[in-house]
Every structure is written in structure tokens, then in C-alpha cells.
Amino acid sequence: MSAADFTQQDWEELKAQAVEVMQRAYAPYSRYKVGAAARVDDGRVVVGCNVENAAYGVGLCAECGMVSSLHATGGGRLTHAVCVDGRGAVIMPCGRCRQVLFENGGPDLLLWTVSGVKPMSEVLPDAFGPDALDNA
């Protein structure tokens, strides 16, 4: 499905899957649950939720779980993604997760942000990615 073919209803369905998985997040310390869902270039949808840890710095963001699911179920490229908080509101991924999303979707990955749908090239301008290593 191309970016032009992705309708508002498609975005809402993707968000609903993020909300559903967010309810399974493990966030006993911050109580800040996050869910993420993305469409893959082959039509699959992958999801992830945050998983906290008593050693605070080793928690897993929802986007990381989603990307792990991407690779565990056959790989591919993310084309559309959204993240939500415990109220179901769209949120911005943290900096680390923006990098993870860029790595797995590239500059054309469309992300539903707090200020509308944007390509990763705008969310993470001048991103460091696999192409940068080709010049090393």
C-alpha cells in the first residue's frame, strides 16, 4: 500500500492496534504505558508495548518491541507508524526510538506525530543511518 493509498481510516485502525497493545504494557514503575503499531511494506502490521525493568535504564520502549516483532516475523520495511500513551493519545517517539524507526523504515516512513503525519526525514532530519556507513 503506497503512502497515497493510506487513508484516515487506515491511520485510525493502526492507532487502534497501538491502543490495544498499549494495554498489555508492563509499566509498574512509571505507570506510563506506551503502545506502537506500524504497517510493513508487505501489508503486515507489527506492534509493541513498553516493558519496564527495576533497573530503570534497561527498560524497553514500545517502538523497540515493535521493531523486534518486525524482524521476528520476516523483516521488511516499516511504511506507516504511530505511538500512543496510556490514554490513547498520539505521542512522539523518544530520540532513541526515532533512530530505530529511521533504521527500519528510512526517510520515507510516515509517522503520525502530535502535529500530524510526517515523513521520518522531517522527524529526524539529517539522520545517521546505514548510508552513512557506506562512506566510512
Short mmCIF file of all heavy atoms in Angstrom, two decimals, residues 44-77:
data_model
loop_
_atom_site.label_atom_id
_atom_site.label_comp_id
_atom_site.label_asym_id
_atom_site.label_seq_id
_atom_site.Cartn_x
_atom_site.Cartn_y
_atom_site.Cartn_z
N ARG A 44 1.73 -6.47 6.40
CA ARG A 44 1.60 -6.87 7.80
C ARG A 44 1.51 -5.65 8.70
O ARG A 44 1.95 -4.57 8.34
CB ARG A 44 2.83 -7.67 8.26
CG ARG A 44 2.88 -9.09 7.85
CD ARG A 44 4.19 -9.75 8.32
NE ARG A 44 5.33 -9.11 7.67
CZ ARG A 44 6.47 -8.81 8.27
NH1 ARG A 44 6.67 -9.08 9.54
NH2 ARG A 44 7.46 -8.23 7.60
N VAL A 45 0.99 -5.87 9.90
CA VAL A 45 1.05 -4.87 10.96
C VAL A 45 1.84 -5.48 12.10
O VAL A 45 1.60 -6.63 12.48
CB VAL A 45 -0.35 -4.44 11.44
CG1 VAL A 45 -0.27 -3.56 12.67
CG2 VAL A 45 -1.09 -3.72 10.31
N VAL A 46 2.80 -4.73 12.63
CA VAL A 46 3.57 -5.17 13.78
C VAL A 46 3.30 -4.20 14.93
O VAL A 46 3.04 -3.02 14.70
CB VAL A 46 5.08 -5.27 13.47
CG1 VAL A 46 5.36 -6.42 12.52
CG2 VAL A 46 5.63 -3.97 12.90
N VAL A 47 3.33 -4.73 16.15
CA VAL A 47 3.03 -3.92 17.32
C VAL A 47 4.07 -4.15 18.40
O VAL A 47 4.80 -5.13 18.38
CB VAL A 47 1.61 -4.24 17.87
CG1 VAL A 47 0.54 -3.94 16.84
CG2 VAL A 47 1.51 -5.70 18.33
N GLY A 48 4.10 -3.23 19.36
CA GLY A 48 4.97 -3.38 20.52
C GLY A 48 4.47 -2.51 21.66
O GLY A 48 3.75 -1.53 21.44
N CYS A 49 4.83 -2.90 22.87
CA CYS A 49 4.49 -2.10 24.06
C CYS A 49 5.74 -1.96 24.92
O CYS A 49 6.66 -2.76 24.80
CB CYS A 49 3.36 -2.76 24.85
SG CYS A 49 3.71 -4.41 25.45
N ASN A 50 5.75 -0.94 25.75
CA ASN A 50 6.93 -0.75 26.59
C ASN A 50 6.95 -1.79 27.71
O ASN A 50 5.92 -2.27 28.17
CB ASN A 50 7.03 0.69 27.13
CG ASN A 50 5.86 1.13 27.98
OD1 ASN A 50 4.70 0.83 27.70
ND2 ASN A 50 6.15 1.88 29.04
N VAL A 51 8.18 -2.15 28.11
CA VAL A 51 8.41 -3.13 29.16
C VAL A 51 9.47 -2.54 30.08
O VAL A 51 10.64 -2.43 29.69
CB VAL A 51 8.87 -4.48 28.58
CG1 VAL A 51 9.16 -5.47 29.70
CG2 VAL A 51 7.84 -5.04 27.61
N GLU A 52 9.06 -2.14 31.27
CA GLU A 52 10.00 -1.54 32.22
C GLU A 52 10.76 -2.62 32.98
O GLU A 52 10.44 -3.81 32.91
CB GLU A 52 9.24 -0.63 33.19
CG GLU A 52 8.65 0.58 32.51
CD GLU A 52 7.92 1.51 33.45
OE1 GLU A 52 7.65 1.15 34.62
OE2 GLU A 52 7.61 2.62 33.00
N ASN A 53 11.77 -2.16 33.72
CA ASN A 53 12.62 -3.06 34.48
C ASN A 53 13.01 -2.34 35.77
O ASN A 53 13.17 -1.11 35.77
CB ASN A 53 13.86 -3.38 33.63
CG ASN A 53 14.71 -4.46 34.22
OD1 ASN A 53 15.39 -4.23 35.22
ND2 ASN A 53 14.69 -5.62 33.61
N ALA A 54 13.17 -3.10 36.84
CA ALA A 54 13.56 -2.49 38.11
C ALA A 54 14.89 -1.73 38.00
O ALA A 54 15.11 -0.76 38.70
CB ALA A 54 13.66 -3.55 39.22
N ALA A 55 15.75 -2.16 37.10
CA ALA A 55 16.97 -1.41 36.79
C ALA A 55 16.56 -0.43 35.69
O ALA A 55 16.61 -0.75 34.50
CB ALA A 55 18.07 -2.35 36.31
N TYR A 56 16.08 0.72 36.08
CA TYR A 56 15.37 1.65 35.19
C TYR A 56 15.95 1.82 33.80
O TYR A 56 15.22 1.85 32.82
CB TYR A 56 15.24 3.03 35.85
CG TYR A 56 14.38 3.03 37.08
CD1 TYR A 56 14.84 3.57 38.28
CD2 TYR A 56 13.10 2.49 37.06
CE1 TYR A 56 14.06 3.57 39.42
CE2 TYR A 56 12.30 2.49 38.20
CZ TYR A 56 12.78 3.04 39.38
OH TYR A 56 12.01 3.04 40.49
N GLY A 57 17.22 1.92 33.66
CA GLY A 57 17.82 2.20 32.36
C GLY A 57 17.74 1.07 31.35
O GLY A 57 18.06 1.27 30.18
N VAL A 58 17.30 -0.10 31.75
CA VAL A 58 17.26 -1.22 30.81
C VAL A 58 15.84 -1.57 30.37
O VAL A 58 15.59 -2.66 29.87
CB VAL A 58 18.00 -2.47 31.36
CG1 VAL A 58 19.47 -2.19 31.51
CG2 VAL A 58 17.38 -2.96 32.64
N GLY A 59 14.92 -0.65 30.54
CA GLY A 59 13.57 -0.86 30.04
C GLY A 59 13.56 -0.85 28.52
O GLY A 59 14.49 -0.38 27.86
N LEU A 60 12.49 -1.38 27.96
CA LEU A 60 12.34 -1.44 26.50
C LEU A 60 11.20 -0.54 26.07
O LEU A 60 10.09 -0.64 26.58
CB LEU A 60 12.05 -2.87 26.05
CG LEU A 60 13.10 -3.90 26.41
CD1 LEU A 60 12.60 -5.30 26.05
CD2 LEU A 60 14.40 -3.59 25.68
N CYS A 61 11.46 0.31 25.11
CA CYS A 61 10.42 1.17 24.55
C CYS A 61 9.49 0.35 23.66
O CYS A 61 9.90 -0.68 23.11
CB CYS A 61 11.04 2.30 23.74
SG CYS A 61 12.03 3.45 24.72
N ALA A 62 8.29 0.82 23.48
CA ALA A 62 7.31 0.14 22.64
C ALA A 62 7.81 0.00 21.21
O ALA A 62 7.61 -1.03 20.56
CB ALA A 62 5.98 0.90 22.67
N GLU A 63 8.47 1.04 20.70
CA GLU A 63 8.96 1.01 19.34
C GLU A 63 10.01 -0.07 19.15
O GLU A 63 10.07 -0.72 18.09
CB GLU A 63 9.55 2.38 18.94
CG GLU A 63 8.56 3.52 19.02
CD GLU A 63 8.47 4.18 20.39
OE1 GLU A 63 8.83 3.54 21.41
OE2 GLU A 63 8.04 5.34 20.44
N CYS A 64 10.84 -0.31 20.17
CA CYS A 64 11.85 -1.36 20.09
C CYS A 64 11.18 -2.73 20.02
O CYS A 64 11.60 -3.60 19.24
CB CYS A 64 12.80 -1.29 21.27
SG CYS A 64 13.83 0.19 21.27
N GLY A 65 10.14 -2.93 20.82
CA GLY A 65 9.39 -4.19 20.75
C GLY A 65 8.74 -4.38 19.40
O GLY A 65 8.71 -5.49 18.85
N MET A 66 8.24 -3.29 18.83
CA MET A 66 7.60 -3.35 17.52
C MET A 66 8.62 -3.74 16.45
O MET A 66 8.35 -4.59 15.59
CB MET A 66 6.97 -2.00 17.20
CG MET A 66 6.29 -1.92 15.86
SD MET A 66 5.59 -0.28 15.59
CE MET A 66 7.10 0.68 15.33
N VAL A 67 9.80 -3.15 16.50
CA VAL A 67 10.84 -3.47 15.51
C VAL A 67 11.34 -4.89 15.71
O VAL A 67 11.64 -5.60 14.74
CB VAL A 67 11.97 -2.42 15.57
CG1 VAL A 67 13.20 -2.89 14.80
CG2 VAL A 67 11.47 -1.09 15.01
N SER A 68 11.41 -5.35 16.95
CA SER A 68 11.78 -6.75 17.19
C SER A 68 10.74 -7.67 16.55
O SER A 68 11.10 -8.66 15.90
CB SER A 68 11.88 -7.01 18.69
OG SER A 68 12.23 -8.35 18.93
N SER A 69 9.48 -7.33 16.69
CA SER A 69 8.41 -8.10 16.06
C SER A 69 8.54 -8.09 14.54
O SER A 69 8.30 -9.10 13.87
CB SER A 69 7.04 -7.55 16.49
OG SER A 69 5.99 -8.27 15.87
N LEU A 70 8.92 -6.93 13.98
CA LEU A 70 9.14 -6.82 12.54
C LEU A 70 10.13 -7.88 12.07
O LEU A 70 9.86 -8.63 11.14
CB LEU A 70 9.66 -5.41 12.20
CG LEU A 70 10.20 -5.21 10.79
CD1 LEU A 70 9.08 -5.21 9.77
CD2 LEU A 70 11.01 -3.92 10.71
N HIS A 71 11.26 -7.95 12.74
CA HIS A 71 12.30 -8.88 12.31
C HIS A 71 11.97 -10.33 12.66
O HIS A 71 12.28 -11.24 11.89
CB HIS A 71 13.65 -8.45 12.89
CG HIS A 71 14.13 -7.19 12.25
ND1 HIS A 71 14.66 -7.15 10.98
CD2 HIS A 71 14.09 -5.90 12.68
CE1 HIS A 71 14.95 -5.90 10.65
NE2 HIS A 71 14.61 -5.12 11.67
N ALA A 72 11.28 -10.53 13.78
CA ALA A 72 10.91 -11.89 14.19
C ALA A 72 9.87 -12.50 13.26
O ALA A 72 9.76 -13.72 13.17
CB ALA A 72 10.39 -11.89 15.62
N THR A 73 9.11 -11.65 12.56
CA THR A 73 8.04 -12.17 11.70
C THR A 73 8.37 -12.06 10.21
O THR A 73 7.48 -12.14 9.38
CB THR A 73 6.71 -11.45 11.99
OG1 THR A 73 6.86 -10.04 11.73
CG2 THR A 73 6.26 -11.68 13.41
N GLY A 74 9.63 -11.85 9.87
CA GLY A 74 10.01 -11.88 8.47
C GLY A 74 10.71 -10.67 7.93
O GLY A 74 11.08 -10.63 6.76
N GLY A 75 10.88 -9.63 8.73
CA GLY A 75 11.60 -8.44 8.27
C GLY A 75 10.77 -7.56 7.38
O GLY A 75 9.54 -7.57 7.43
N GLY A 76 11.44 -6.79 6.56
CA GLY A 76 10.75 -5.83 5.70
C GLY A 76 11.03 -4.41 6.16
O GLY A 76 11.89 -4.17 7.01
N ARG A 77 10.30 -3.47 5.58
CA ARG A 77 10.47 -2.05 5.90
C ARG A 77 9.16 -1.50 6.44
O ARG A 77 8.08 -1.79 5.92
CB ARG A 77 10.85 -1.26 4.65
CG ARG A 77 12.13 -1.69 3.99
CD ARG A 77 13.35 -1.46 4.82
NE ARG A 77 13.71 -0.05 4.83
CZ ARG A 77 14.59 0.48 5.65
NH1 ARG A 77 15.21 -0.27 6.55
NH2 ARG A 77 14.88 1.76 5.61
#
